[in-house]
Amino acid sequence: MLTLDVEWLTGVARAARDPSDPEPDWPPQPDRIFSALVASWGALNEIADGRRALEWLECQSPPKMFCVRMASARPAVDHYVPVNDQKLERALPRRRARQPRRFAVCALPEAPVHLRLIWDAGPNAEDLRALNLLASATSYVGHSASLVRFRFVAGLATSDTRLERDDVRTAPYPGRLAELKRLYDRHVAGDERARPRRSAQLPRPNYDAPRCNVFSPDWFVLAHAGGDRPDLLAAAALARRLRDAVMSVVPQPPAPWISGHEPDGAPMRDPHMAIAPLANIGWEHADGRLMGLAVILPHAVRSSWQDRTPEEWRARREFEGAFAKLMSMGDGAISLRLGRAGVWALEPELTPSRRSLDPHRYTKPAQVFVSVTPIALDRHLKRTGAAAREEAAELVARACAAIGLPEPSRVDVFKHSAVRGAPSARPASGAPSRPYWARPGFLKQRRLVHARIAFADAVPGPVILGAGRFVGLGFCLPVRDEAPR
């Protein structure tokens, strides 16, 4: 067990939740505390002992958090501050334009400890010594005038009745240190968009609520971070490549929900890990560029992780640790080697800054869904002509039942997608040859169709259908159209 005590030396905490939010950020979340320790590590020339200790800390389960109640939140007023001027870097501040900014402040009662974080695991003596070295170098949290004193203690510190339990909303995760370091390096190099983001999505899905979809709405998002960006047509091949990379670093043999196979090698009948492409599609000027990949777990697996049993925590940490291992092997990014197509670098984003990477775009309930990637039908069509289209619609409806959705009220199948920027299922007849959808061997002979699927009532996403649903085919986007009754 490890305890971190934090005291605000002036009795005032200055930190904002968001630039547009006038309310102070109290209590500061564990990820903010971790970021302050990372800043101290950088100020100490990135010492090796500090890196090892921070990497140990980020791999622990989220800590319990206890804090005092703030005495009062001071009204936030506008302060007009000079803006940074890139064109005239030497211009005096008094000559620069000024913009309004608010500084959120809260007063705290006098107390020896204002915030306490408690981790279930305890570090070894070397890591504890390194953590306290970083703690001694940490002088503020949030605003530079928000002075603090950090102190790590092995074991459980003396209880304080003035401290009240509070919910942990954002906490560091494996690979967070590398992510912060990478963003800092990009910012120093001149990338103004390289800003750290919160470490976890908020709020978390309600796993106790009844759910008809077998796929979890809580995803692991990997964003494009450099290298040769593949084409969306290669989505299925990329999914297989990422799945193989994850399987190579998790404890062996891989869990069936990762590999998709039972211990005896037979295909798994229950849902397992799916990987879907996230692309620049559905907007007015969408160009179909591949922006990243989403790792989507079965809802049953994600739900079990909320039990907080040792076995479930171990399974979760082993899975999340796989991405940290892949990043360490790829110089801070996950590198997918694509043969002649080059190398594609990906980095985790738990709070995506681009709407194309936002899971909610695909998981929100809707009555109508349209396919972004074509659906691979579960069997060959036996009919021809107009009857073949009806048979394909029946197979799509059956695919909805396979992932727990109700029977659609209507299914229309097409050759082209109704989503702007999404490629067609098949090239046009007589058209010049162009790249076709790359598919693993077991999908090469499957018929591909796009579809518009309507339900009588709104159903939750993600909707991923057909024989290729675990490798990114049959990935659907909810739309606002009203379903026909």
Side-chain angles (χ1 to χ4, degrees), residues 61 99 116 235 238 293-294 300 395 468 472:
S61 57
Q99 290 184 348
R116 174 168 289 162
L238 294 170
L293 298 174
L395 292 177

Side-chain angles (χ1 to χ4, degrees), residues 58-184:
E58 71 182 11
C59 290
Q60 305 311 307
S61 57
K64 299 180 182 68
M65 183 166 64
F66 301 85
C67 64
V68 298
R69 287 195 177 276
M70 62 178 177
S72 62
R74 297 180 181 175
V77 298
D78 288 341
H79 293 75
Y80 289 85
V81 299
V83 299
N84 294 328
D85 193 335
Q86 294 179 335
K87 295 182 180 179
L88 301 174
E89 295 180 353
R90 297 182 180 179
L92 296 175
R94 63 185 175 85
R95 294 183 179 178
R96 299 180 195 168
R98 294 173 180 263
Q99 290 184 348
R101 184 180 174 188
R102 292 187 173 187
F103 299 93
V105 178
C106 65
L108 303 175
E110 184 176 349
V113 176
H114 294 110
L115 175 68
R116 174 168 289 162
L117 302 178
I118 303 175
W119 288 266
D120 291 333
N124 57 40
E126 291 77 10
D127 287 346
L128 179 61
R129 190 179 305 111
L131 287 172
N132 268 316
L133 177 60
L134 298 177
S136 65
T138 303
S139 57
Y140 67 91
V141 171
H143 194 277
S144 58
S146 191
L147 305 178
V148 296
R149 179 189 293 129
F150 279 20
R151 184 171 69 100
F152 282 97
V153 179
L156 183 63
T158 306
S159 61
D160 191 328
T161 57
R162 289 169 292 188
L163 299 179
E164 300 180 9
R165 180 77 175 265
D166 206 287
D167 291 334
V168 171
R169 299 185 297 277
T170 63
Y173 52 87
R176 179 62 167 168
L177 172 62
E179 179 183 15
L180 293 173
K181 177 67 167 61
R182 187 167 57 255
L183 288 169
Y184 173 77

Side-chain angles (χ1 to χ4, degrees), residues 254-456:
W257 55 266
I258 295 178
S259 66
H261 292 86
E262 301 291 355
D264 61 359
M268 187 179 181
R269 294 191 174 184
D270 294 332
H272 52 87
M273 180 178 73
I275 297 173
L278 299 175
N280 179 23
I281 47 90
W283 320 113
E284 182 179 357
H285 302 290
D287 57 8
R289 277 186 308 154
L290 194 58
M291 307 297 292
L293 298 174
V295 181
I296 305 171
L297 300 186
H299 181 264
V301 172
R302 266 299 206 174
S303 179
S304 70
W305 286 358
Q306 309 307 305
D307 296 340
R308 297 179 180 269
T309 63
E311 293 77 13
E312 298 303 339
W313 271 118
R314 189 179 305 111
R316 176 175 183 171
R317 286 303 170 187
E318 288 175 351
F319 180 74
E320 293 177 347
F323 294 96
K325 291 180 183 177
L326 291 173
M327 291 177 66
S328 65
M329 295 163 56
D331 250 358
I334 298 173
S335 299
L336 292 186
R337 302 191 179 278
L338 309 176
R340 294 182 180 179
V343 178
W344 189 28
L346 298 162
E347 62 181 8
E349 282 206 23
L350 291 197
T351 51
S353 56
R354 297 175 181 267
R355 289 186 62 192
S356 296
L357 298 173
D358 187 0
H360 181 68
R361 190 181 181 210
Y362 294 89
T363 60
K364 59 187 177 184
Q367 286 183 267
V368 179
F369 288 79
V370 292
S371 59
V372 173
T373 57
I375 301 168
L377 300 179
D378 289 318
R379 62 177 175 81
H380 297 291
L381 299 179
K382 299 179 180 179
R383 309 173 198 167
T384 59
R389 178 168 293 191
E390 294 179 2
E391 184 182 7
E394 293 172 3
L395 292 177
V396 172
R398 189 181 304 174
C400 292
I403 66 167
L405 297 177
E407 182 178 356
S409 58
R410 178 170 178 174
V411 176
D412 297 297
V413 296
F414 308 95
K415 176 180 176 180
H416 306 291
S417 173
V419 181
R420 188 183 297 271
S424 301
R426 303 181 304 281
S429 300
S433 60
R434 69 172 182 85
Y436 193 53
W437 286 93
R439 289 175 284 170
F442 72 99
L443 291 175
K444 283 191 180 297
Q445 303 304 318
R446 301 282 183 174
R447 178 74 174 269
L448 299 182
V449 298
H450 277 295
R452 179 185 181 276
I453 307 151
F455 298 92

Side-chain angles (χ1 to χ4, degrees), residues 30-41 172 176 180 196-197:
D31 181 60
R32 190 163 210 159
I33 301 298
F34 182 81
S35 296
L37 292 169
V38 172
S40 299
W41 170 70
R176 179 62 167 168
L180 293 173
R197 295 171 290 275

